[in-house]
Amino acid sequence: MKRRLLRRCGHASGALAPEDQAAVDQFRAMLAARKNPQPWTPGCNQDAAVRVGPFIERAQPRPGDDHGPDLIAVTLIHPDTPHAAAYRHGHQLGYTGRGWLRCETAAILGIWQPAYAMLTHAAADLPLPDDVGMPPALYGVHVEARRPDNTGYLLLRLGPYTQTRHIDRDVDRLNAQLEEKSDTAVPGFKLVVKGAVFHVSDHATYRDPYESDAAALLTAAVETANATRAPAARHGTPDADRG
């Protein structure tokens, strides 16, 4: 962290120079912010202050993927964002190009405050480390069950995928599996397979495509959906939408 030398000796008389007083005020504001952080809560739609080693960084949550109690998706941004100079400086220090990351909410100090800026890698003019302690929040594959009016629910979520080529592979495989029966596999619904964002907040609802075969998971999901619908159909109970 850069430390500014005061323009007068400690024993000199008189007031501090304006720039020195500003540095002192900034340091006091940082101490106050560290001592009394503003609580960050899932879904609050505010940037978070996140610990990255001994530093604190500004993390911007992904809209709609910031409500999980344990995990959210964030991207690390330069503390002076959105200024153009901050973007250039951030690019030099490795803030841009990292994409979305899986952030444990336990690593969040609180809501981001400008006073934390002096505790960032950017303030020290240091690049972000290659390993910031947060793995990528990548993508998933969704199988949607849609009614003719385009309402419906998610039948199956697969993810996270570590490579986009694996997403394309499984989308093609599942579409081939559903060829000519996407309208009949689950009566009353059309099944649609597509690549999608992996929602970290809902990670518990995903099936890991690297632990089980995607085609087998789809077959099991279809069987479960039909077994669930059968009693409802006998009793005339409409299906409930599921997300």
Side-chain angles (χ1 to χ4, degrees):
M1 181 186 305
K2 293 180 180 178
R3 289 180 171 83
R4 180 180 298 176
L5 295 177
L6 299 182
R7 295 181 178 275
R8 68 185 187 88
C9 298
H11 59 271
S13 58
L16 292 174
E19 55 268 39
D20 293 334
Q21 185 62 57
V24 170
D25 292 343
Q26 182 184 26
F27 186 74
R28 288 174 174 168
M30 180 274 293
L31 292 178
R34 283 298 307 271
K35 184 177 181 181
N36 299 296
Q38 299 178 27
W40 184 95
T41 56
C44 71
N45 196 32
Q46 299 219 42
D47 289 353
V50 177
R51 298 179 183 87
V52 178
F55 295 84
I56 293 176
E57 296 294 339
R58 183 178 178 182
Q60 189 171 73
R62 180 162 61 191
D65 199 7
D66 61 348
H67 59 275
D70 304 314
L71 279 173
I72 63 170
V74 304
T75 185
L76 298 180
I77 60 176
H78 191 281
D80 295 331
T81 300
H83 303 297
Y87 179 84
R88 291 194 298 270
H89 192 219
H91 181 74
Q92 295 170 354
L93 299 180
Y95 281 83
T96 60
R98 289 177 177 267
W100 297 105
L101 303 171
R102 303 177 65 181
C103 176
E104 295 184 3
T105 54
I108 297 177
L109 178 65
I111 292 174
W112 172 260
Q113 301 181 52
Y116 292 135
M118 64 188 305
L119 301 176
T120 63
H121 285 80
D125 207 23
L126 293 173
L128 286 174
D130 292 336
D131 182 4
V132 295
M134 291 180 277
L138 297 174
Y139 297 92
V141 170
H142 289 178
V143 181
E144 299 178 355
R146 296 179 181 172
R147 297 186 183 89
D149 63 1
N150 214 32
T151 63
Y153 63 95
L154 280 174
L155 178 72
L156 178 66
R157 283 177 166 179
L158 301 174
Y161 285 82
T162 58
Q163 298 185 43
T164 55
R165 64 186 179 89
H166 294 168
I167 299 173
D168 296 336
R169 175 201 64 194
D170 280 354
V171 168
D172 290 343
R173 287 183 63 206
L174 298 182
N175 278 320
Q177 181 179 349
L178 291 173
E179 188 175 6
E180 297 182 357
K181 58 180 180 180
S182 63
D183 293 329
T184 59
V186 178
F189 293 84
K190 177 181 178 62
L191 302 188
V192 178
V193 183
K194 65 179 184 179
V197 171
F198 175 72
H199 290 278
V200 177
S201 298
D202 298 325
H203 63 96
T205 66
Y206 284 79
R207 300 298 301 274
D208 190 331
Y210 297 104
E211 290 184 352
S212 303
D213 181 72
L217 291 173
L218 176 57
T219 297
V222 168
E223 292 175 351
T224 299
N226 287 325
T228 302
R229 283 173 49 80
R234 286 197 298 269
H235 295 287
T237 304
D239 296 318
D241 287 352
R242 289 172 288 176

